[in-house]
C-alpha cells in the first residue's frame, strides 16, 4: 500500500495531528485531473463541494492510509474565515510506533470494486476477507496505482450533506494503459 505514516510518540485521544494540505480546487476541476490519488473531497455544509489535491503541493497528511479500524478521524474545518480544510484528530490513545490511518469511506472502496482489496490487516477489515482476486498490491503491480481519486467520508455524522457512509475520496478517472505505468511506492 505504499508510503504510510507512524507516530514516534504516544498520542492522547482527541489530539490534533495534522491537516490535509493541497491545492484547493473545484470538484469539476478535480474530475478533469488524471491522477486523483491524493484528492480529498471537502464537503462543507455551506457552499459547494470542493477538493484538496495534495499531488503537487501537500503535507504528511497525504500519506495517511485507510484502515477499517482507524485511529484517526478526519473532520472538515474552516481555516481563517472561509477556507475549507480537513484536520485529523486521534480517535483513541495511540502508542508510539503505531501507523496512523483513517477510514476512506464506503464510496472509495465501492469505486475500487473487485480490483482492490484492503491491506489494513485490522481484525475488522471490511474490504479484504470477502473479496477474491488480486490485492491492491497485485493490482498495482499489474496496472499501476489507479489512485485515490476520491476522498474519504467524514467519520462523524452531521458534517456532510451526504450520508455518513459516503466517501470524500473521489475515484480517479480511468487512465489509458500507457499512463498507468506509475508503480506504488
Ligand atoms: C492518499 S494515498 C496514501 C498514501 C499512499 N500509501 C502513498 O504511498 O502515497 C492513498 C493510496 O494509498 C493506498 N492505500 C491506502 N490505504 C490502503 C489500504 N488500506 N489498502 C490498500 N491500499 C491502500 C492506495 O493506493 C490509495 O490509492
Amino acid at each position: 500500500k505504499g508510503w504510510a505514516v507512524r507516530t514516534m510518540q504516544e498520542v492522547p485521544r482527541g489530539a490534533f495531528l495534522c491537516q490535509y494540505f493541497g491545492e484547493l480546487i473545484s470538484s469539476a476541476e478535480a474530475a478533469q485531473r488524471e491522477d486523483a490519488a491524493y484528492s480529498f473531497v471537502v464537503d462543507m455544509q455551506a457552499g459547494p463541494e470542493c477538493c484538496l489535491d495534495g499531488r503537487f503541493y501537500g503535507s504528511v497528511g497525504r500519506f495517511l492510509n485507510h484502515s477499517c479500524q482507524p485511529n484517526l478521524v478526519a473532520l472538515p474545518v474552516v481555516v481563517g474565515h472561509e477556507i475549507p480544510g480537513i484536520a485529523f484528530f486521534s480517535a483513541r490513545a495511540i502508542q508510539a510506533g503505531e501507523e496512523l490511518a483513517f477510514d476512506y469511506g464506503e464510496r472509495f472502496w465501492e469505486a475500487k470494486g473487485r480490483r482492490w482489496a484492503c491491506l489494513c490487516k485490522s481484525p475488522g477489515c471490511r474490504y479484504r476477507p470477502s473479496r477474491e482476486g488480486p490485492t491492491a498490491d497485485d493490482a498495482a503491480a499489474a496496472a499501476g496505482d489507479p489512485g485515490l481519486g476520491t476522498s474519504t467520508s467524514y467519520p462523524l455524522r452531521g458534517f456532510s450533506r451526504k450520508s455518513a457512509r459516503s466517501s470524500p475520496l473521489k475515484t480517479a478517472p480511468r487512465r489509458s494503459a500507457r499512463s498507468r505505468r506509475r508503480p506504488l511506492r
Side-chain angles (χ1 to χ4, degrees):
K1 59 184 179 177
W3 294 99
V5 182
R6 289 182 190 281
T7 173
M8 304 287 284
Q9 59 188 59
E10 281 182 28
V11 179
R13 182 173 186 268
F16 167 71
L17 272 296
C18 63
Q19 263 184 257
Y20 194 97
F21 285 115
E23 285 178 87
L24 185 60
I25 57 176
S26 67
S27 292
E29 181 170 350
Q32 299 297 315
R33 295 196 172 184
E34 194 174 89
D35 186 349
Y38 297 102
S39 188
F40 198 121
V41 175
V42 183
D43 186 7
M44 310 296 285
Q45 285 189 309
E49 188 178 272
C50 56
C51 224
L52 282 169
D53 188 352
R55 186 178 172 209
F56 298 115
Y57 308 98
S59 58
V60 67
R62 68 180 165 164
F63 297 119
L64 292 167
N65 286 322
H66 162 92
S67 172
C68 295
Q69 289 185 319
N71 49 19
L72 300 187
V73 291
L75 299 180
V77 294
V78 175
V79 182
H81 288 295
E82 56 186 43
I83 302 175
I86 294 291
F88 296 101
F89 296 86
S90 50
R92 59 165 172 80
I94 304 171
Q95 300 298 308
E98 273 191 66
E99 181 180 346
L100 301 174
F102 65 104
D103 188 343
Y104 284 7
E106 194 75 32
R107 210 166 94 186
F108 172 82
W109 290 103
E110 275 171 8
K112 296 300 177 201
R114 294 174 66 87
R115 290 184 305 132
W116 282 67
C118 180
L119 299 175
C120 78
K121 293 184 179 158
S122 66
C125 181
R126 302 187 299 278
Y127 306 108
R128 177 69 196 257
S130 60
R131 290 169 178 233
E132 296 163 7
T135 65
D137 279 349
D138 297 333
D145 184 358
L148 278 185
T150 319
S151 65
T152 46
S153 63
Y154 308 128
L156 296 190
R157 291 171 194 278
F159 283 89
S160 171
R161 284 174 301 200
K162 299 192 178 75
S163 81
R165 294 174 69 81
S166 72
S167 170
L169 290 181
K170 254 205 270 168
T171 309
R174 289 299 300 263
R175 287 187 276 166
S176 67
R178 217 171 39 172
S179 67
R180 273 194 233 125
R181 295 284 176 255
R182 186 171 69 85
L184 271 181
R185 282 165 291 172

